[in-house]
């Protein structure tokens, strides 16, 4: 905080304010909600006009092109604006791979295919929202879960609010519309998945890699795809046998990614990997073939998160409720403290969960030889012999 109270800014847009400094470049000051502190940046010029442009550029960089009042800096009333404009402005603020894009694509498809592309923000009421739900739910191209449908409206509401417009419809929390899958695979079924991935007729190395990582880490599919042993990622700590499922620099979300101990059977595979563990962005085709071959339930019951659900269910029975907090830590449902991370192998932290995981892997290996152990693994020109999951 400044030692003396600041005067009136030269220019303000939203939370960004432009101030003069004696014999120095103008300064832009704002309060950063994410960091919970005030921040400042030089405008790079002493010119008021150029300083205002620098502030505008910073605003657009952070918020996108949302129209604001030039006097007070508050967003203008955009109720009469086309909804597609607010959607476009909102999307500009999100990374290209963010899930909100596909969710808003559903909304835009609906608007285009039902002749609503020129609808204004005030047209988007409860009747409009229900029409969207009915339309997406009845599409024949693929079945969509109620939560997927509602997420489209949730992101649409976010886009409207970002533009300063309060939605004219209520969204339903996805927890109220989602049906949690009830099916869980036992060890024998999981072993059959490995046999499918290793079969000569349908061999899929990427499916095999996915299964190994999912069983050993209990991780969500998106976290499995993100496993990378490159040093700059700070994920795989070989000496400690610890894997950070959240890469260095990635912001944690509500779906928290924990740091976990790694079963010795899987650690050998990570040691033999340079960089990306799973060299594809999807195993959907192989998974669907396996799902059909093994006659798994389908209809959302046996998606790629099935391994996470199944292994944790098996482990919970073996850990007992008194030690289930370790299972919650493996799943990312209970955040570990710093001391927990430094003492991961200790039984009072995650040692019991690790032991149970290694036992499950051994049972899978007995039913599907080669699931985790191989006589040799090739890493480029280097051959590393493995016996019982450990390098020799």
């Amino acid at each position: 905080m400044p030692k003396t109270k600041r005067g009136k800014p030269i220019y303000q847009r939203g939370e960004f304010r432009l101030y003069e400094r004696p014999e120095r470049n103008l300064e832009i000051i704002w309060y950063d909600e994410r960091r919970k502190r005030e921040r400042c940046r030089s405008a790079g010029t002493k010119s008021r006009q150029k300083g205002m442009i620098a502030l505008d550029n910073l605003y657009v960089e952070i918020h996108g092109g949302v129209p604001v009042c030039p006097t007070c800096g508050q967003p203008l009333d955009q109720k009469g604006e086309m909804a597609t404009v607010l959607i476009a402005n909102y999307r500009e603020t999100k990374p290209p791979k963010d899930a909100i894009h596909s969710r808003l694509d559903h909304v835009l498809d609906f608007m285009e295919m039902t002749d609503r592309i020129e609808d204004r923000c005030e047209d988007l009421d409860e009747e409009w929202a229900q029409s969207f739900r009915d339309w997406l739910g009845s599409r024949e191209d693929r079945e969509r879960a109620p939560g997927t449908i509602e997420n489209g409206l949730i992101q649409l509401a976010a886009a409207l609010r970002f533009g300063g417009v309060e939605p004219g419809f209520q969204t339903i929390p996805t927890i109220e519309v989602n049906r949690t899958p009830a099916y869980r695979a036992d060890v024998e079924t999981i072993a059959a998945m490995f046999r499918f991935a290793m079969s000569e007729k349908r061999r899929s190395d990427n499916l095999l890699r996915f299964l190994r990582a999912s069983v050993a880490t209990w991780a969500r599919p998106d976290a499995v795809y993100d496993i990378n042993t490159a040093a700059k990622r700070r994920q795989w700590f070989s000496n400690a046998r610890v894997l950070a499922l959240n890469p260095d620099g990635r912001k944690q979300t509500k779906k928290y990614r924990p740091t976990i101990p790694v079963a010795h059977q899987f650690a050998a595979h990570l040691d033999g990997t340079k960089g990306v563990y799973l060299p594809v962005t999807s195993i959907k085709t192989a998974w669907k073939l396996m799902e059909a071959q093994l006659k798994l339930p389908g209809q959302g019951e046996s998606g790629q998160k099935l391994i996470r659900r199944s292994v944790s269910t098996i482990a919970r029975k073996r850990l007992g409720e008194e030690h289930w907090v370790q299972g919650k830590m493996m799943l990312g449902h209970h955040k570990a403290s710093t001391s927990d991370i430094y003492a991961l192998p200790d039984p009072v932290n995650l040692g019991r969960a690790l032991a149970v995981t290694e036992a499950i892997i051994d049972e899978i290996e007995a039913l599907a030889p080669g699931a985790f152990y191989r006589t040799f693994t090739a890493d480029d020109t280097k051959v590393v012999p493995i016996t019982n999951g450990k390098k020799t």
Side-chain angles (χ1 to χ4, degrees), residues 155-381:
Q155 292 303 329
L156 174 59
L160 295 176
R161 290 192 178 98
F162 180 78
V165 177
E166 188 61 28
F169 56 89
Q170 293 291 323
T171 59
I172 306 171
T174 55
I175 195 172
E176 295 181 14
V177 296
N178 280 338
R179 178 176 59 85
T180 302
Y183 175 72
R184 300 293 185 271
D186 54 21
V187 172
E188 290 76 12
T189 302
I190 297 174
M193 296 179 187
F194 278 91
R195 289 196 297 269
F196 176 90
M198 295 185 293
S199 65
E200 292 184 9
K201 184 178 180 180
R202 300 183 179 85
R203 183 173 181 86
S204 173
D205 289 336
N206 290 323
L207 175 60
L208 183 57
R209 283 173 172 263
F210 178 86
L211 291 172
R212 284 172 178 157
S214 297
V215 169
T217 67
W218 309 18
R220 298 180 183 89
D222 59 316
V224 172
Y225 288 113
D226 272 355
I227 294 175
N228 192 315
T229 63
K232 65 181 180 180
R233 298 270 291 195
R234 292 182 56 79
Q235 285 192 269
W236 175 229
F237 301 93
S238 180
N239 291 336
R241 289 296 187 256
V242 168
L243 178 66
L245 290 172
N246 199 56
D248 189 41
R250 178 187 179 273
K251 184 179 178 181
Q252 289 279 16
T253 66
K254 291 181 180 179
K255 294 184 177 181
Y256 184 81
R257 294 186 185 182
T259 296
I260 59 172
V262 171
H264 67 83
Q265 301 99 319
F266 184 56
H269 292 281
L270 291 179
D271 282 339
T273 300
K274 291 182 178 179
V276 177
Y277 169 73
L278 191 58
V280 294
T281 57
S282 175
I283 55 154
K284 183 177 180 180
T285 300
W287 187 274
K288 287 294 184 183
L289 288 172
M290 179 189 72
E291 195 175 46
Q293 178 69 21
L294 301 183
K295 295 182 173 56
L296 298 178
Q299 297 182 333
E301 290 286 323
S302 52
Q304 293 175 34
K305 202 181 284 187
L306 173 62
I307 302 297
R308 172 180 166 88
R309 297 191 183 105
S310 300
V311 172
S312 59
T313 299
I314 295 167
R316 184 169 190 167
K317 294 177 182 178
R318 301 184 183 188
L319 279 170
E321 291 304 309
E322 69 274 24
H323 300 302
W324 177 237
V325 66
Q326 295 190 23
K328 291 181 179 179
M329 290 168 72
M330 287 286 291
L331 291 167
H333 294 165
H334 177 89
K335 297 179 182 179
S337 67
T338 302
S339 59
D340 292 330
I341 293 171
Y342 277 107
L344 285 176
D346 193 312
V348 300
N349 293 295
L350 283 169
R352 293 180 185 275
L354 175 61
V356 166
T357 303
E358 291 179 336
I360 292 171
I361 290 174
D362 282 341
E363 291 175 27
I364 292 171
E365 179 66 27
L367 295 168
F372 280 84
Y373 299 156
R374 290 182 292 173
T375 305
F376 294 97
T377 62
D379 180 7
D380 295 331
T381 57

